[in-house]
Structure formats: C-alpha cells, structure tokens
Amino acid sequence: MNAINYWLMKSEPAVYSITDLQQQGETIWDGVRNYQARNFLKQMQIGDFAFFYHSNAEPPGIFGLMRIVEIGIADPTQFDANSKYYDPKSTPESPRWQTVKVEFVKEFSQPISLSTLKEKFSEDELLVVKKGNRLSVIPVSESVAKKLWT
C-alpha cells in the first residue's frame, strides 16, 4: 500500500473554484503548462489529498480539500486547437501534458488566507508562502498537511 501524499493545487476562482468542484463532484485538473508542476501531477497517486488554493482572489488562500481519484490522464486541452492550452508539439500518441482527476472532499468553514499561512509556516515548510513562487501544483509535507487539516 502506498503512503498518502499531500499536495496544494491552485486555481483562480473566476476560472474554477471550490464551489464549482463541490457542484460537479469531480473534475480533471487541466491546463497546467509548467514542467515542474506537471511532474508533480505525474507523482500523484490515487487516494492522495490536495488542498484547493484560490489564487488571484481576495484573499488568496486554501479553501478546501480534494482527493486524487484518477492518475495518468492525458490533458485533453493540449490537443484542442481552440484552447489557450493547445500544444501543437503534443500528439495523442505522445502527449506532453498529463493530469489527474480530483473529487471534492470538503470546503473549509474558514479559508486559510495566504497571510495566515505566512504567519504559520516558513517557505521551507510550505512553498506557497515563498516570494515569487508561481507553481500551480506543489507538494505538502505530511506534518504541514496535518496542521492545515485540523
């Protein structure tokens, strides 16, 4: 049995919010176009948990929790010439961009704002508080995850 890992995944609420996920139940996490973030998506396992982070929001922060329910999905937006995430170098036989499917677990009664995260954690503990960090998918250690979850 694999250990459960924890992640933080960002989305702008105007694009896709925790409320959207709650209403839909599950979704694929498409549109990631950063190789480091993509590599984190490739490391995910079924049953892992991810904190849903609203970026470009007021306030930005963690708004809920989701679970990884499917892995190794070729991101369909890479093949759609009408998508802003289209990648002409990617083919169905050799996709460059992989993603996962997530399911809604819970919305937090009180979001954990970025300013609160900065007070509680160093940038070594939680990458999202590091100045200049732009990654949309980052790992979260089990010890930090437990502090966020309680």
Side-chain angles (χ1 to χ4, degrees), residues 116-132:
T116 299
L117 293 171
K118 287 179 177 180
E119 290 170 16
K120 289 187 169 188
F121 302 102
S122 72
E123 58 186 46
D124 292 332
E125 291 175 299
L126 186 61
L127 193 57
V128 76
V129 304
K130 185 175 184 174
K131 191 168 179 66

Side-chain angles (χ1 to χ4, degrees), residues 25-59:
E26 61 182 30
T27 192
I28 63 165
W29 203 263
D30 59 9
V32 173
R33 291 298 180 271
N34 171 285
Y35 285 105
Q36 190 174 3
R38 182 220 42 201
N39 291 343
F40 288 140
L41 287 167
K42 285 177 147 184
Q43 292 174 30
M44 292 180 179
Q45 298 296 315
I46 292 171
D48 285 359
F49 287 97
F51 294 95
F52 196 123
Y53 185 95
H54 280 180
S55 60
N56 201 12
E58 208 39 64

Side-chain angles (χ1 to χ4, degrees), residues 101-112:
K101 183 180 280 185
V102 297
E103 72 177 0
F104 177 82
V105 173
K106 70 186 258 180
E107 182 173 5
F108 294 161
S109 56
Q110 289 296 313
I112 308 168

Side-chain angles (χ1 to χ4, degrees), residues 66-121:
M66 50 195 176
R67 182 182 298 113
I68 311 307
V69 294
E70 193 176 329
I71 57 174
I73 300 168
D75 183 337
T77 61
Q78 68 191 314
F79 309 123
D80 180 355
N82 296 317
S83 170
K84 71 178 185 175
Y85 301 113
Y86 176 63
D87 184 343
K89 294 181 181 172
S90 191
T91 65
E93 300 75 35
S94 184
R96 296 173 80 179
W97 303 102
Q98 297 225 332
T99 192
V100 298
K101 183 180 280 185
V102 297
E103 72 177 0
F104 177 82
V105 173
K106 70 186 258 180
E107 182 173 5
F108 294 161
S109 56
Q110 289 296 313
I112 308 168
S113 70
L114 179 58
S115 58
T116 299
L117 293 171
K118 287 179 177 180
E119 290 170 16
K120 289 187 169 188
F121 302 102

